[in-house]
Amino acid sequence: MDFILIAVIVLGSIGLIAAIVLFVCSKKFAVFEDPRIAQVNEVLPGANCGGCGFAGCGGMADALVKGADSGSIDGLNCPVGGTDVMGQVADLLGMAIANGEPKVAVVRCNGTCENRPKIAEYAGLRTCAAMNACGAGETACGFGCLGCGDCVAACQFDAIHLNPETGLPEVDEDKCTACGACTKACPRGIIELRKKGIKGRRVFVSCVNKDKGAVAMKACKAACIGCGKCEKECPFGAITVANNLAYIDFSKCRLCRKCVAVCPKQAIHAVNFPAPKPVETVKEEKEAQA
């Protein structure tokens, strides 16, 4: 009986000493967390998509609070929450934010099944990353979409799907949050975040093929051949041609669409513009005005 009592006393003493040590350590080595971090984290959408550049919303909240303490949160943006969420965060932290242009994911490839027929059959792991690591893929174009849907799997918002007829991914503008997950998932970099534009209108080169014109045309009927006609036609200096490929700077583009008209390969796409009026209608309007 004495042994049991001694054992209880010893174990109790050890437990008490351990509790005291843990309490002292917790107070001595406690890490203070600004309560504003939790408040900001509650405002953020909680998608943890990484579109802001941080591992999750918690990292973004911490960065926002630190930015507020340093005097500015410019450059920090939650693409999922958008302007509304960032406005709430700014109010919470007593900061002002610059109004950023809304963006949307754009698929810069027009290599449909018709424009870019298959010349081989891939029998390995059905992912874009795996197929790209093995070579050019199933077509002659070593730059275009591989069609395995890595971008679809990466999207947490059901905003991108493969079109079974064209074999290309298509973005639902209403669902896209510009988080950038699809751009990171694409091993060939054909998906780009671009300014959404007024009324969703934008103009871009739907090709990333850097081969010379003759080689590019053999691989895809709609490939950019780097002829430079669009660059010469643009009155705003928004288009540059480098490495046999044209690129439109959306910060300079004024949506005049002159480049679309002169492109001999229809590689430049204009999105969400009204359909052009028939020639007869235009003539009638001019006659009426006269």
Side-chain angles (χ1 to χ4, degrees), residues 80-113:
V80 177
T83 306
D84 292 339
V85 167
M86 290 306 298
Q88 294 178 47
V89 170
D91 292 341
L92 181 63
L93 297 176
M95 303 295 295
I97 59 169
N99 291 325
E101 291 278 2
K103 292 185 178 182
V104 67
V106 171
V107 179
R108 293 185 57 214
C109 179
N110 196 33
T112 62
C113 299

Side-chain angles (χ1 to χ4, degrees), residues 111-122:
T112 62
C113 299
E114 181 181 353
N115 292 332
R116 187 177 48 130
K118 291 184 178 182
I119 60 171
E121 185 174 349
Y122 174 75

Side-chain angles (χ1 to χ4, degrees), residues 49-250:
C49 61
C52 58
F54 298 92
C57 293
M60 177 64 164
D62 183 59
L64 285 166
V65 171
K66 289 180 179 177
D69 290 340
S70 64
S72 174
I73 59 173
D74 290 345
L76 297 173
N77 180 55
C78 173
V80 177
T83 306
D84 292 339
V85 167
M86 290 306 298
Q88 294 178 47
V89 170
D91 292 341
L92 181 63
L93 297 176
M95 303 295 295
I97 59 169
N99 291 325
E101 291 278 2
K103 292 185 178 182
V104 67
V106 171
V107 179
R108 293 185 57 214
C109 179
N110 196 33
T112 62
C113 299
E114 181 181 353
N115 292 332
R116 187 177 48 130
K118 291 184 178 182
I119 60 171
E121 185 174 349
Y122 174 75
L125 180 63
R126 201 72 188 177
T127 68
C128 297
M131 187 183 290
N132 186 61
C134 293
E138 296 180 321
T139 70
C141 180
F143 297 88
C145 177
L146 292 162
C148 294
D150 286 19
C151 52
V152 178
C155 181
Q156 299 183 43
F157 307 98
D158 193 38
I160 187 166
H161 298 93
L162 287 176
N163 185 318
E165 294 183 3
T166 64
L168 296 174
E170 295 180 351
V171 178
D172 185 333
E173 298 179 21
D174 296 329
K175 293 182 179 180
C176 180
T177 62
C179 69
C182 56
T183 66
K184 296 173 184 176
C186 180
R188 292 190 167 176
I190 69 164
I191 304 179
E192 177 188 12
L193 294 181
R194 294 181 67 88
K195 185 170 69 174
K196 195 168 187 177
I198 300 172
K199 296 182 179 180
R201 296 174 183 174
R202 51 195 174 276
V203 179
F204 61 94
V205 179
S206 187
C207 182
V208 295
N209 194 324
K210 296 180 181 179
D211 285 331
K212 291 184 178 180
V215 178
M217 283 192 297
K218 288 181 180 179
C220 180
K221 296 177 183 178
C224 173
I225 57 177
C227 64
K229 288 184 178 181
C230 54
E231 184 179 24
K232 294 176 182 177
E233 187 70 18
C234 181
F236 307 106
I239 305 178
T240 54
V241 178
N243 297 321
N244 309 306
L245 180 66
Y247 180 79
I248 299 176
D249 185 343
F250 58 77

